[in-house]
Amino acid sequence: MADNAALVNALKDAGLLTEPRLERAFRAVPRHLFLPQVPPEQVYSDQAIAIKQGADGTVISSSSQPSMMAHMLNQLRLTEGCNVLEIGTGSGYNAALMQHIVGDLGKVTTIELDKELAMHAENHLADAGMRAVNVVHGDGALGYAPRAAYDRIIASVGVWDVLKMWVRQLKPDGLLVAPIWWNAFQLSAAFTPSGDGTLTSRKNTLCNFVVLRGGIGTPSLSVRLGTTPLWLDSSEAARIDTARLHALLSYDAEREHLSVPLTFSEMWSSFIPYLVLNTPPDFVFAKYQVRDSEQHPYGIEGMGFALLARGSACFIPLNGNGVIYYYGSADSFMATEDALKGWNAAKRPKLDQLRLRLIPKERGEPEIRAGKLYPRRDHTLHVWFEDETT
């Protein structure tokens, strides 16, 4: 249909559909069949669409943004005849795209924790003529052994770790794509296994997915400041003393500018990743968001990132071109300035230089020369920049 063609053309113009099989799949599988209750103008816009919310209004499942789906399918490198496992069915749209790519000789198994969503997805797939997709109602954390081993595994949910069960069900020369948490962010990573049990990803993109639920989920990464709409996300959320921070933010902020003005693109794709890896140990790095555009708690609005320490906090909006607001002492501002100087000295490394490695816990804590280590359930996550000595 015309609206689907316009969406596909936009994805192609953005350079996301250079692989012919992927383009044909997007053209052949109309998204509206998987979102029948959503207006067409919303269905065929490049945006994620919530399909189920919890009792508190939290989105627990969504149909991912088409451009992000295209990016992850590029990372997955599907070919005809692949045996694929998807963790998190959602609407079923992504599974349909994959089944079109792998063809009649391939297999797609998709697991959905929510029984109602699994049933709806099965119906949507039937409407799209994709009855070959095997929809399983179950806990995706366990994978699906009956159809293993898999050439490809993709998680359509944010994960804290790549679980051992998934690795066991992946072929030695397979590929596993998942949005993995890194501090306050998720990175869509394409992991390849090696003989020593480690998994390495060289192509990583910032993304945002609902988190994996079930028996093995994600720890709480968000804190709310009192009853305000100000939320902070961080893998070190447990270190944030909300009462103390509320008292600090109740004072007037000092307004300054970073010594180097930063565009949104420079901030998002270069400086923030550098700062995450170079946050001093006595500071907490966090992403912030005010979830009500009508309110400005503590004079803060929109979204950006923050550095927090005892007696000092600074907030830097993503669209502020280097404007910084700090509360209490200037320590957080000076720490940000020091990181900015280091970033310049390192020749402004970009996100495409970021590398990830998952090392099995049983191998003990690895020795590294650069980057940072992050403990996970089954692995230790090592993150570094390519031009650093590892």
Side-chain angles (χ1 to χ4, degrees):
M1 63 185 297
D3 289 331
N4 187 54
L7 172 63
V8 176
N9 289 339
L11 296 176
K12 189 172 182 178
D13 290 344
L16 292 169
L17 300 179
T18 56
E19 209 288 314
R21 282 184 177 275
L22 186 56
E23 180 181 348
R24 288 197 294 269
F26 270 96
R27 292 198 185 279
V29 182
R31 194 184 187 202
H32 73 273
L33 295 178
F34 299 85
L35 299 164
Q37 308 303 320
V38 181
E41 61 272 15
Q42 189 177 357
V43 169
Y44 289 110
S45 61
D46 186 28
Q47 62 177 293
I49 298 173
I51 58 176
K52 188 162 187 176
Q53 295 177 312
D56 61 354
T58 303
V59 176
I60 60 176
S61 185
S62 66
S63 176
S64 302
Q65 186 178 6
S67 57
M68 180 52 64
M69 294 173 69
H71 177 80
M72 292 180 72
L73 290 174
N74 276 315
Q75 287 182 302
L76 199 60
R77 303 204 306 266
L78 291 174
T79 58
E80 188 173 5
C82 273
N83 183 22
V84 188
L85 174 65
E86 179 185 39
I87 312 298
T89 308
S91 70
Y93 180 47
N94 196 57
L97 292 170
M98 292 192 295
Q99 185 64 64
H100 191 280
I101 295 169
V102 301
D104 295 338
L105 298 177
K107 296 178 182 178
V108 174
T109 302
T110 180
I111 306 179
E112 175 55 54
L113 181 67
D114 188 290
K115 187 174 183 179
E116 182 184 29
L117 287 176
M119 181 186 68
H120 288 322
E122 203 160 20
N123 292 337
H124 300 332
L125 287 160
D127 291 342
M130 293 289 174
R131 296 179 183 273
V133 175
N134 182 32
V135 180
V136 177
H137 169 229
D139 189 345
L142 303 176
Y144 190 67
R147 278 194 161 186
Y150 298 99
D151 299 292
R152 304 286 188 268
I153 296 177
I154 182 170
S156 301
V157 289
V159 301
W160 183 243
D161 194 5
V162 170
L163 302 176
K164 277 186 177 181
M165 196 65 73
W166 300 351
V167 179
R168 288 174 188 156
Q169 295 176 16
L170 183 69
K171 290 181 181 179
D173 59 349
L175 187 61
L176 191 153
V177 173
I180 191 166
W181 278 99
W182 173 52
N183 198 288
F185 303 97
Q186 292 174 22
L187 291 166
S188 176
F191 289 105
T192 55
S194 60
D196 62 359
T198 62
L199 297 150
T200 304
S201 176
R202 299 181 61 81
K203 296 183 180 296
N204 310 288
T205 299
L206 288 167
C207 60
N208 188 32
F209 282 77
V210 298
V211 299
L212 176 70
R213 298 180 295 141
I216 305 172
T218 303
S220 177
L221 302 172
S222 297
V223 295
R224 183 181 184 183
L225 267 291
T227 59
T228 75
L230 175 60
W231 289 79
L232 297 164
D233 294 335
S234 175
S235 60
E236 298 182 296
R239 288 179 57 193
I240 300 175
D241 185 331
T242 55
R244 191 183 298 274
L245 183 58
H246 164 74
L248 182 64
L249 298 184
S250 297
Y251 292 95
D252 291 337
E254 296 290 334
R255 186 177 187 272
E256 294 285 352
H257 281 82
L258 294 173
S259 56
V260 178
L262 298 174
T263 65
F264 177 91
S265 177
E266 289 172 325
M267 191 94 75
W268 188 250
S269 65
S270 185
F271 179 60
I272 287 178
Y274 181 87
L275 179 58
V276 171
L277 285 181
N278 292 276
T279 300
D282 50 340
F283 284 82
V284 172
F285 177 93
K287 178 178 67 176
Y288 76 83
Q289 182 178 11
V290 178
R291 298 184 183 178
D292 184 341
S293 60
E294 301 299 319
Q295 297 186 48
H296 303 153
Y298 317 106
I300 298 167
E301 57 184 301
M303 66 181 296
F305 64 92
L307 271 190
L308 312 173
R310 187 181 180 90
S312 182
C314 71
F315 288 76
I316 306 176
L318 281 174
N319 289 313
N321 292 318
V323 171
I324 186 169
Y325 302 90
Y326 72 87
Y327 300 77
S329 77
D331 291 354
S332 54
F333 171 54
M334 297 307 297
T336 306
E337 274 290 305
D338 288 343
L340 192 64
K341 292 175 184 176
W343 174 68
N344 267 318
K347 299 181 180 178
R348 303 188 175 193
K350 292 183 171 56
L351 189 64
D352 60 9
Q353 296 171 251
L354 200 68
R355 305 292 182 253
L356 308 183
R357 180 170 55 192
L358 287 166
I359 303 130
K361 278 282 186 71
E362 57 265 25
R363 293 185 56 186
E365 184 168 320
E367 294 184 5
I368 61 170
R369 298 182 184 179
K372 276 189 178 180
L373 296 174
Y374 302 85
R376 294 294 186 260
R377 182 181 183 275
D378 295 331
H379 299 89
T380 299
L381 173 64
H382 179 204
V383 185
W384 76 98
F385 282 110
E386 172 77 358
D387 58 350
E388 294 182 284
T389 303
T390 58

